[in-house]
Amino acid sequence: MKTVKLVSIAALMSCSFAIFTGSAVAADAVSDVKIATLREAPLNVEPTPPAMQKVSNTDVKQSRNYPMQPPVIPHKIDGYQVDLKVNKCMACHDRKQTTDSQAPMVSVTHYMDRENNFLATLSPRRYFCTQCHVPQLEAKLLVENDFVDMDHLIEADSNKKAKH
Amino acid sequence: MIAKLLSILKKGWTVLRKPSVHYSLGFLTLGGFVAGVIFWGGFNTALEVTNQEAFCIGCHEMENNVYEELKTTIHFTNRSGVRATCPDCHVPHNWTDKIARKMQASKEVWGKIFGTINTRDKFEAKRRELAEHEWARLKANDSLECRNCHNFDYMDFTRQSSRAAKMHSTSLASGEKTCIDCHKGIAHHLPDMKGVSGF
């Protein structure tokens, strides 16, 4: 009886040992395989986070990459409160504030509801500015961006036509 | 008339010369002086104690609301490690102003006793009113407390963001506006700003 118990304990222990080593092998295997991910460490390892990047604060407007792109914010917005009580962005970008602030006024579409009726104030669906507009970091690109601008496509297309 | 005045003066002189029943008048005067010094010092010490942040956040009304919010702002942690504490922005450095503010502050003790803002909801409901008192105070003294640390004369516009430089070199420089006109909510969350100019 005693030996049976001992044997079963030993079996259990070796079993759990196998599970441990097995999982370790599996984790290694993940990091070896090149899959499309920005994660540079196995799932069960906490990697050192990259250095924090500075927010670009040049106040110089950047061009839009496509006609309907929400323009990016060319300045810091640290501590700007946007909630039910206040919208700090509108303290400069509201129609009535632009004389003082010389900031661009938000597009008239922001005052339209989904039926295209014009409202007196911001449409609720446009209220939370950072849903669409974001500041930029002075950071190196993590992945290459091969986006081709519409104008370039049109240009390439007309060049092709000209050749024929 | 003159004789009457003289007799009064004479009477006064005899009183001054006469030793009091137990102590001489000289002792009493000196004692009074010493007591005055102690009282004055104590008063000032009391002022100093009540001038520290630890005192302010001794009340949960102050700690749980405004202090918690301050912690996330640039006036709590920043690259230079200079901290602005409650009294830096709320208690004038000038002595007479200090007393005046302290008199106003007895309203806070009243508020504490009657629990005017003893829950978050009550605080939020009263916040606009409290904030308006602070805005009015800073507007009236041309943002004195801000200027105790941020001196306009030493602002280097070339080192500021262009938005900041533009505003500071126009409306601020001309005296048309003061810090608090443009920098509301710099240290705490804002109340509902409906109708406040600039919002």
Side-chain angles (χ1 to χ4, degrees):
Chain A
M1 193 61 211
K2 223 177 183 180
T3 42
V4 174
K5 224 183 201 166
L6 260 177
V7 165
S8 62
I9 286 173
L12 260 176
M13 278 177 70
S14 59
C15 217
S16 53
F17 183 73
I19 288 168
F20 273 127
T21 47
S23 63
V25 167
D28 278 346
V30 167
S31 66
D32 287 344
V33 181
K34 275 275 172 230
I35 50 171
T37 173
L38 294 177
R39 174 180 282 280
E40 272 152 13
L43 276 174
N44 57 351
V45 175
E46 186 84 54
T48 0
M52 296 253 285
Q53 305 290 338
K54 251 175 120 175
V55 172
S56 163
N57 195 28
T58 59
D59 291 333
V60 177
K61 283 187 214 168
Q62 290 185 25
S63 69
R64 305 186 199 186
N65 295 310
Y66 52 97
M68 302 304 285
Q69 184 195 2
V72 296
I73 305 173
H75 59 74
K76 286 195 304 185
I77 55 165
D78 296 359
Y80 285 5
Q81 189 175 340
V82 179
D83 59 18
L84 282 174
K85 297 192 178 114
V86 222
N87 187 324
K88 172 80 177 175
C89 308
M90 296 302 277
C92 287
H93 293 284
D94 185 70
R95 179 174 61 86
K96 280 167 278 169
Q97 305 295 343
T98 51
T99 341
D100 280 340
S101 68
Q102 289 297 305
M105 182 189 126
V106 293
S107 149
V108 290
T109 56
H110 296 51
Y111 294 92
M112 284 152 82
D113 69 8
R114 64 170 79 198
E115 269 86 46
N116 289 353
N117 300 310
F118 279 98
L119 310 175
T121 52
L122 269 191
S123 172
R125 62 189 185 142
R126 300 282 191 155
Y127 189 85
F128 293 101
C129 316
T130 48
Q131 272 183 305
C132 294
H133 303 279
V134 284
Q136 301 291 299
L137 298 178
E138 291 165 2
K140 220 173 64 202
L141 290 180
L142 287 174
V143 288
E144 204 193 327
N145 186 349
D146 54 9
F147 176 80
V148 183
D149 187 0
M150 185 177 65
D151 290 336
H152 285 106
L153 287 178
I154 294 174
E155 205 181 323
D157 198 39
S158 56
N159 282 348
K160 224 194 290 171
K161 279 197 186 117
K163 265 184 206 155
H164 290 299
Chain B
M1 182 68 203
I2 292 175
K4 208 175 174 192
L5 202 78
L6 266 178
S7 83
I8 289 173
L9 277 179
K10 222 174 175 178
K11 235 188 213 159
W13 178 239
T14 30
V15 168
L16 276 182
R17 275 190 46 160
K18 205 179 107 192
S20 82
V21 186
H22 299 292
Y23 307 101
S24 80
L25 199 64
F27 176 80
L28 286 179
T29 314
L30 203 76
F33 178 72
V34 171
V37 167
I38 291 171
F39 174 73
W40 188 254
F43 188 53
N44 244 330
T45 315
L47 260 183
E48 286 314 313
V49 169
T50 55
N51 235 8
Q52 280 159 9
E53 189 166 77
F55 169 76
C56 307
I57 60 177
C59 281
H60 72 95
E61 285 94 339
M62 301 286 113
E63 184 176 18
N64 297 350
N65 299 302
V66 276
Y67 181 63
E68 282 305 321
E69 293 162 5
L70 178 70
K71 277 183 179 173
T72 61
T73 71
I74 191 151
H75 285 104
F76 198 80
T77 53
N78 52 58
R79 61 200 169 131
S80 358
V82 181
R83 253 220 64 198
T85 62
C86 328
D88 288 332
C89 289
H90 289 293
V91 184
H93 286 204
N94 179 312
W95 201 84
T96 43
D97 287 356
K98 232 187 216 173
I99 296 294
R101 168 73 181 96
K102 282 282 148 64
M103 304 282 255
Q104 280 181 348
S106 39
K107 167 171 94 70
E108 293 174 37
V109 178
W110 172 275
K112 173 80 183 175
I113 294 167
F114 289 96
T116 51
I117 54 168
N118 61 0
T119 64
R120 179 76 184 170
D121 284 347
K122 281 196 203 168
F123 178 74
E124 283 295 345
K126 195 147 193 212
R127 173 167 238 172
R128 172 75 178 259
E129 188 191 325
L130 302 180
E132 266 171 9
H133 294 152
E134 289 308 297
W135 294 328
R137 183 177 59 83
L138 286 163
K139 179 75 182 164
N141 70 11
D142 195 14
S143 308
L144 175 71
E145 283 78 31
C146 313
R147 292 176 195 263
N148 280 334
C149 287
H150 298 272
N151 193 323
F152 176 77
D153 294 336
Y154 301 105
M155 272 189 183
D156 181 350
F157 293 155
T158 64
R159 293 198 168 264
Q160 292 188 346
S161 65
S162 49
R163 278 189 307 156
K166 211 183 288 157
M167 288 296 163
H168 294 161
S169 59
T170 53
S171 306
L172 177 63
S174 68
E176 181 197 326
K177 286 193 173 155
T178 184
C179 318
I180 199 63
D181 288 324
C182 300
H183 291 294
K184 293 188 177 74
I186 191 75
H188 320 290
H189 293 179
L190 286 168
D192 194 323
M193 299 296 276
K194 231 170 246 116
V196 178
S197 94
F199 279 87

